[in-house]
Amino acid sequence: MNSIKVNLGVRSYPIHVQSGLLKETASIISDQNNGQKWIIISQYNLMELFGFNLFNQLKDAGFDCNFITLPVGEVAKSLNEFSRVMSQMVELGCDRKTTILALGGGVVGDVAGFVASSFMRGVEYYQIPTTLLAMVDSSIGGKTGLNIAEGKNLVGAIYQPKGVLIDPDILKSLPQEEVFAGLGEIIKYGAIWDKSFLSDISSWLENIDSFPFEEAISRSCQIKAEVVSKDERENDSRRILNFGHTVGHALESHLGYGKIRHGEAVAIGMKCAGFISEKLKMISKEDNLILSKTIAKLPLPSLPHINGSHLMPFIKTDKKSEKGILNFVLLDGLGNAISSTAVTEELIKESLKVLH
Ligand SMILES: NC(=O)c1ccc[n+]([C@@H]2O[C@H](COP(=O)([O-])OP(=O)(O)OC[C@H]3O[C@@H](n4cnc5c(N)ncnc54)[C@H](O)[C@@H]3O)[C@@H](O)[C@H]2O)c1
Ligand SMILES: [Zn+2]
C-alpha cells in the first residue's frame, strides 16, 4: 500500500492509496475502533454502489455502524442539510467519541468534514473520496465548507481528518466527464510542482483507457501533502494550489454553477494563467505550449462568447483577493508556481482570448 504523510505535527495523518483498498477498510481502521459509534455520511446512489458493502464489512468486523445520506449536488452543502445531519447524529446516539466516515465526492467531504469539525465541538473523521477530484484535492488538507445565499464555501473550517483512504478502483463507476474534470486538477500538480510529472500526464492522456490512475493519484497526493504541510491555513505558499482557479472560479460563477465542472473551469483558467506567465516572460513559449497541449487533451466544453468586462467583477471578488489586491498564481518556469500581486486587469482580459 502506498502511504503518504501529511505532516502537521499532532494533526499529521496518512493518505493510503491502493486499488481494492475499500474492501480492506475495516482492517485498516480496526485499531481505532474502541466500541464507539461510526457514522458513514454519503449519498444514497453511493451507498448502493459501495456504501452498503462498506457498512456490512464494518458490521461484520464488530463496528457499531450507522449511515446518513445527503442529497446529490451543491444543495447538500447548505446550513439546512448541516442541521439535519447534526440532529440525526443526536438521534442515533452519537457522542464525542463518534467517528465519521465521509464516503463521496467533494460535496460529501465538505459537509461531513464540517459536521465533524463542529459536532460536540469536534469528532474524528476519515475521508474516503469517490471522485477523482476528491481523491487528489478536496479530501486532503482539511478544508471543509458550506454555501450560503451570498456565495460558495463562505461557511467552513479547516479541520484535518484522521486519515484519507483512496481506492482508485472506485473510479470505474464514475461518469467519464467527472474523470476528465479531476484530470484538470492532476495537470495542475504537474504544472505547479513537477515538470516531468506533467510530461508523464501528457503522454498518459494519449490513451485514457490505460491511464495509470493509481500512480497519478499518488503523485498528486504527495504534492498536495507537501504543500499543505508547509502552510496549513493558506497564508502563503499554499496559494499555489489555486493555479488556474482565479479565472476558473470566475467562469463557474459567471456561467452559473452546474454549467461547467470545477475541474473543467480550472483547466481553462490554467490556459489563461499560462498565457499571462508567458507574456510576463516567466515561462518560455515552448513550455507554455507543453502546458496548453496537455490541457487540450481533455475534452473541455465549448464556451459561449464571454465578454471580459462581464467576467472581471467575479475575478475581483475572488476569495484570493485581500484588501482589494488580487493574488494571481503564475508559473515561474514550468513546474514552479508563485503567487503574484502584479497581474493587471488588462492582462487578465487579454488572456481571456485563449478561451476560444
Ligand atoms: N474542500 C476542498 O478543499 C475542496 C476542493 C475542491 C473542491 N471542493 C468542493 O467539492 C465539490 C465538488 O466535488 P466533486 O467534483 O467530487 O463532485 P460531487 O461530490 O458533487 O460528485 C459528483 C457526482 O458524482 C457522483 N459520484 C461520486 N463518486 C462516484 C462514483 N465513484 N461513481 C459514480 N458516481 C459517483 C456523486 O454522487 C455526484 O452526483 C464542490 O462543492 C467544491 O466546492 C472542495
Ligand atoms: Zn480546484
Side-chain angles (χ1 to χ4, degrees), residues 173-203:
S173 56
L174 190 68
Q176 185 113 80
E177 312 82 72
E178 297 289 347
V179 174
F180 281 116
L183 285 167
E185 296 279 358
I186 291 183
I187 292 175
K188 177 190 81 178
Y189 290 114
I192 63 167
W193 201 259
D194 183 345
K195 191 174 170 174
S196 78
F197 182 41
L198 182 68
S199 115
D200 286 342
I201 299 164
S202 189
S203 48

Side-chain angles (χ1 to χ4, degrees), residues 13-180:
Y13 55 95
I15 304 166
H16 300 299
V17 187
Q18 191 188 296
S19 293
L21 179 144
L22 195 62
K23 295 193 191 85
E24 314 294 327
T25 308
S27 67
I28 296 171
I29 57 178
S30 62
D31 60 341
Q32 303 296 319
N33 186 19
N34 303 307
Q36 77 272 38
K37 270 202 187 299
W38 292 75
I39 303 290
I40 301 173
I41 299 185
S42 192
Q43 288 161 329
Y44 200 80
N45 56 328
L46 302 180
M47 286 304 294
E48 288 192 317
L49 281 169
F50 21 69
F52 288 120
N53 282 343
L54 174 64
F55 176 74
N56 291 329
Q57 183 199 134
L58 292 170
K59 284 258 180 206
D60 290 348
F63 285 67
D64 178 4
C65 190
N66 283 94
F67 66 91
I68 295 176
T69 57
L70 293 167
V72 163
E74 285 290 313
V75 286
K77 290 179 50 168
S78 69
L79 289 166
N80 274 346
E81 284 300 323
F82 168 76
S83 138
R84 189 183 58 81
V85 173
M86 290 297 213
S87 299
Q88 231 175 309
M89 293 203 24
V90 176
E91 280 161 26
L92 289 169
C94 296
D95 60 21
R96 284 166 49 203
K97 298 274 180 244
T98 295
T99 308
I100 290 173
L101 300 173
L103 176 73
V107 163
V108 168
D110 275 5
V111 179
F114 189 55
V115 167
S117 77
S118 44
F119 184 76
M120 301 209 173
R121 302 198 175 92
V123 295
E124 290 183 345
Y125 77 116
Y126 287 81
Q127 289 278 11
I128 311 181
T130 64
T131 62
L132 185 55
L133 178 112
M135 290 179 185
V136 298
D137 190 5
S138 57
S139 66
I140 308 157
K143 277 195 190 174
T144 69
L146 300 181
N147 307 329
I148 52 175
E150 288 72 15
K152 239 176 93 81
N153 297 324
L154 291 184
V155 175
I158 293 188
Y159 189 68
Q160 303 296 342
K162 205 53 194 138
V164 183
L165 308 180
I166 302 178
D167 181 352
D169 280 358
I170 289 183
L171 295 174
K172 287 180 186 141
S173 56
L174 190 68
Q176 185 113 80
E177 312 82 72
E178 297 289 347
V179 174
F180 281 116

